[in-house]
Amino acid sequence: MTKTAVTKAHLPTSPFKAPVAPPAKRFAVGDRVTHDVFGLGRVTTVEDGIAVLVDFGGMQERITSPYAKLTVL
C-alpha cells in the first residue's frame, strides 16, 4: 500500500511563507526530451495539459501529465 502526498493548507496566521507551486511543464512539437525510463526522444504531439506523444527512436510513448520523469533538453 502506498501513501499519496497530501499538502497541508496554509494558515493565514502562520509565520511561515506559503509554499509556491512549481510552474507547469510546457512542451512543444519538436522539443528534444529525456525520460528516466525510455531515454532520449523528440515530442511529436502535444495534448495541452493532458499528455505528450514522444518518439524514442524505435517506439512511441504517450506520457501523461504531470510529466514527473520527462525533462526538456
Side-chain angles (χ1 to χ4, degrees), residues 9-68:
H10 179 69
L11 300 174
T13 58
S14 174
F16 302 104
K17 293 181 180 178
V20 177
K25 291 184 180 181
R26 297 279 183 190
F27 297 98
V29 173
D31 281 351
R32 297 279 297 163
V33 295
T34 182
H35 190 274
D36 292 351
V37 176
F38 303 117
L40 296 173
R42 186 175 302 273
V43 176
T44 57
T45 306
V46 176
E47 300 171 26
D48 285 334
I50 301 170
V52 292
L53 186 64
V54 182
D55 182 14
F56 291 105
M59 65 179 172
Q60 288 191 349
E61 289 291 328
R62 184 174 184 260
I63 312 295
T64 57
S65 181
Y67 317 112

